[in-house]
């Protein structure tokens, strides 16, 4: 099978998330990295692209140059990943979708709900894929959780509890360090800090595993380090489209917590618990029964989990491999489109522009609710009500 051509914007040398994308896209050999505008500094971007083996004529200095260069090629990129800082996602994603490219955009997809709605409309009218990198939804046992809920193992879901709480910004003495300070500056972060950065991963996870959307929410935001203008801790209560009660805690001052993404789903017939720091175990307790440990890679898991399990049972499987599963979904979607055939339903799980839009609506609703002392508000984006 011919390889798909892949390009990247952002993710330059020393970036946090660039390596996980390159590992993820490369894992199955489905994508070949052929183009990039990798850095805000054109020279550094071209040099690093060369280090990665990208041909000089496709090692671009900036994304506009890349768009112009790729558009005219017969072997143009089949997929472009946008992994630049948040405020640039909208204009780059919009331009590449309008240029006819499929896009995987890092979260948050946009800064405003209006921009999010525009991206959804463009993706729908152009028929291009606009995926959003809620990469944790690629973990095999997260897919299994979703399958268990969908096939009714839990019965009706009563409560979902999602957390994304770490302690990396807890040191007040470091609050003015420029590497930390910008994250709590509205001019650079927008309306929300911790909830928009980490909380939306947990909120997406709650929707992904339950198959329900967030409809209403009430938020309490706190800046526990007083010099911060934006929140470093948030508690969000929500209600979901299928009747589930949702609770979400996200924090940057939870000393002792490392990554801190966990999801628990409690239904009539049992409860599930999964933590990103121990991704190979899923804890399942049937109502009235004992705790059972479901291991990634064991026999009898759902097709969605089998498809996304990559190394032998008992070996560690982590975040870049979860990203690889998003890339595998996208490779299948693009190949199905090229071949004029339906895609494998087990792969049709990658997060969409609609998910990115729902997150933005939740962020802005939570900000407004917190300002109003926690008033319950409609959290749905206007175009999806
Ligand atoms: N999905 C996840 O789990 C996850 C995890 C971490 C970060 N992210 C997201 O990924 C994005 C990048 O985060 P990061 O932590 O890697 O940031 P970073 O600051 O470490 O790296 C950003 C990279 O983008 C480059 N860049 C900046 N402006 C550019 C431009 N206009 N054109 C081309 N390149 C440009 C920089 O030179 C740098 O190489 C953010 O939106 C962040 O929210 C997602």
């Amino acid at each position: 099978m011919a390889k798909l051509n892949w390009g990247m914007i952002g993710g330059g040398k020393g970036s946090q998330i660039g390596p996980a994308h390159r590992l993820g896209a490369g894992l199955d050999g489905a994508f070949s990295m052929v183009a990039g505008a990798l850095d805000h500094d054109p020279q550094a971007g071209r040099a690093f692209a060369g280090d990665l083996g990208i041909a000089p004529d496709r090692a671009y200095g900036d994304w506009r140059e890349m768009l112009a260069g790729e558009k005219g090629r017969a072997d143009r990129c089949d997929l472009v990943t946008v992994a630049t800082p948040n405020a640039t996602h909208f204009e780059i994603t919009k331009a590449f979708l309008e240029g006819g490219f499929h896009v995987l955009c890092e979260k948050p997809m946009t800064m405003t709900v209006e921009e999010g709605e525009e991206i959804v409309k463009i993706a729908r009218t152009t028929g291009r894929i606009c995926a959003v990198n809620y990469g944790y939804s690629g973990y095999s046992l997260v897919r299994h959780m979703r399958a268990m809920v969908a096939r009714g193992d839990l019965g009706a879901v009563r409560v979902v509890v999602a957390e994304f709480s770490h302690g990396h910004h807890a040191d007040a003495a470091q609050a003015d360090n420029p590497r930390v300070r910008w994250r709590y500056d509205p001019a650079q972060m927008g309306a929300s800090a911790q909830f928009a950065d980490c909380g939306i991963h947990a909120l997406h996870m709650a929707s992904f595993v339950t198959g329900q959307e967030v409809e209403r929410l009430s938020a309490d935001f706190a800046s526990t380090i007083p010099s911060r203008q934006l929140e470093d801790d948030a508690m969000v209560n929500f209600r979901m489209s299928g009747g589930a009660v949702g609770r979400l805690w996200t924090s940057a001052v939870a000393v002792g917590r490392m990554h801190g993404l966990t999801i628990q789903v409690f239904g009539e017939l049992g409860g599930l618990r999964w933590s990103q720091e121990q991704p190979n175990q899923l804890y399942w307790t049937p109502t009235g029964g004992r705790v059972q440990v479901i291991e990634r890679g064991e026999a009898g898991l759902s097709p969605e989990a089998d498809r996304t399990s990559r190394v032998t049972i008992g070996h560690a499987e982590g975040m870049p491999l979860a990203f690889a599963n998003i890339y595998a979904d996208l490779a299948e979607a693009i190949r199905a489109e090229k071949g004029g055939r339906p895609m494998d339903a087990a792969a049709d799980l990658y997060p969409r522009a609609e998910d990115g839009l729902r997150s933005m609506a939740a962020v802005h609703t939570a900000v407004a609710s917190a300002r109003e002392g926690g008033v319950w508000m409609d959290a749905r984006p206007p175009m999806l009500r």
Side-chain angles (χ1 to χ4, degrees):
M1 213 178 318
K3 285 200 175 207
L4 300 169
N5 290 329
W6 177 59
M8 195 173 187
I9 300 150
K13 195 168 196 167
S15 66
Q16 187 193 168
I17 210 63
H21 280 280
R22 287 188 286 277
L23 284 165
L27 190 75
D28 295 318
F31 291 101
S32 177
M33 189 175 190
V34 297
L38 302 175
D39 204 287
H40 69 275
D41 172 352
Q43 281 310 107
R46 285 196 192 99
F48 187 49
D51 292 348
L52 295 173
I54 293 173
D57 63 328
R58 298 177 92 174
Y60 299 101
D62 73 63
W63 66 265
R64 288 185 180 84
E65 195 185 294
M66 177 167 159
L67 179 60
E70 289 300 304
K71 251 172 133 173
R73 299 184 69 107
D75 60 348
R76 72 206 312 247
C77 289
D78 294 295
L79 176 71
V80 169
T81 292
V82 179
T84 50
N86 301 357
T88 62
H89 292 174
F90 170 67
E91 67 168 347
I92 301 175
T93 298
K94 177 176 180 318
F96 275 85
L97 287 172
E98 287 174 341
F101 295 88
H102 298 304
V103 177
L104 170 60
C105 180
E106 261 304 344
K107 46 59 60 176
M109 182 176 80
T110 60
M111 301 296 281
T112 69
V113 177
E114 292 73 22
E115 289 169 352
E117 294 200 334
E118 199 174 332
I119 294 290
V120 168
K121 281 181 200 149
I122 295 167
R124 287 179 180 177
T125 48
T126 58
R128 301 294 81 192
I129 293 168
C130 180
V132 182
N133 192 38
Y134 290 113
Y136 306 113
S137 64
Y139 277 102
S140 173
L141 288 179
V142 171
R143 301 246 165 143
H144 190 63
M145 281 179 99
R146 180 187 163 95
M148 287 181 73
V149 172
R151 73 190 183 201
D153 291 8
L154 281 77
V157 174
R158 291 172 173 152
V159 178
V160 54
V161 180
E163 294 180 2
F164 196 155
S165 292
H166 62 76
H168 303 309
H169 303 151
D171 185 352
Q174 286 295 314
D176 277 335
N177 178 332
R179 295 198 64 178
V180 177
R181 194 180 53 212
W182 73 268
R183 293 176 172 278
Y184 300 93
D185 174 5
Q188 295 183 71
M189 271 306 281
S192 159
Q194 181 60 18
F195 186 61
D197 190 33
C198 293
I200 59 171
H201 275 296
L203 200 68
H204 174 262
M205 194 73 99
S207 286
F208 184 79
V209 298
T210 61
Q212 300 185 29
E213 303 302 344
V214 176
E215 292 199 325
R216 294 182 304 125
L217 65 75
S218 154
D220 178 28
F221 280 16
S223 300
T224 66
I225 292 183
S227 62
R228 289 180 176 159
Q229 293 181 63
L230 298 174
E231 86 289 355
D232 55 17
D233 188 284
M235 182 67 85
V236 179
N237 285 306
F238 53 100
R239 297 290 186 273
M240 306 193 77
S241 50
V245 172
R247 315 281 184 205
L248 185 150
W249 173 48
T250 187
S251 184
V253 295
V255 180
R257 301 264 303 226
M258 299 302 152
H259 187 255
L261 176 64
T262 68
I263 180 95
Q264 299 176 83
V265 187
F266 305 107
E268 291 171 327
L269 304 178
L272 284 168
R273 175 164 57 89
W274 180 86
S275 167
Q276 198 261 344
E277 289 172 37
Q278 286 86 38
N280 284 350
Q281 286 82 35
L282 172 62
Y283 295 88
W284 161 238
T285 311
T287 304
R290 284 194 166 150
V291 183
Q292 299 167 21
V293 183
I294 298 171
E295 286 280 340
R296 181 199 54 75
E298 72 181 35
L301 297 186
S302 56
E304 294 90 334
D306 281 343
R307 186 181 164 279
T308 48
S309 175
R310 308 310 195 91
V311 298
T312 315
I313 189 168
H315 293 278
E317 199 171 276
M319 184 260 255
L321 274 70
F323 281 24
N325 290 330
I326 305 291
Y327 279 96
D329 293 349
L330 292 170
E332 166 59 13
I334 295 167
R335 283 181 167 150
E337 188 215 38
K338 281 177 179 262
R341 60 169 174 82
M343 77 178 288
D344 175 358
D348 196 5
L349 291 175
Y350 62 88
R352 309 311 216 249
E354 284 81 354
D355 298 301
L357 167 60
R358 285 195 181 93
S359 299
M360 248 324 101
V363 165
H364 286 276
T365 307
V367 169
S369 168
R371 278 200 191 122
E372 297 289 319
V375 171
W376 283 86
M377 294 182 176
D378 192 333
R380 296 168 300 170
M383 76 177 283
L384 299 178
R385 283 183 189 168

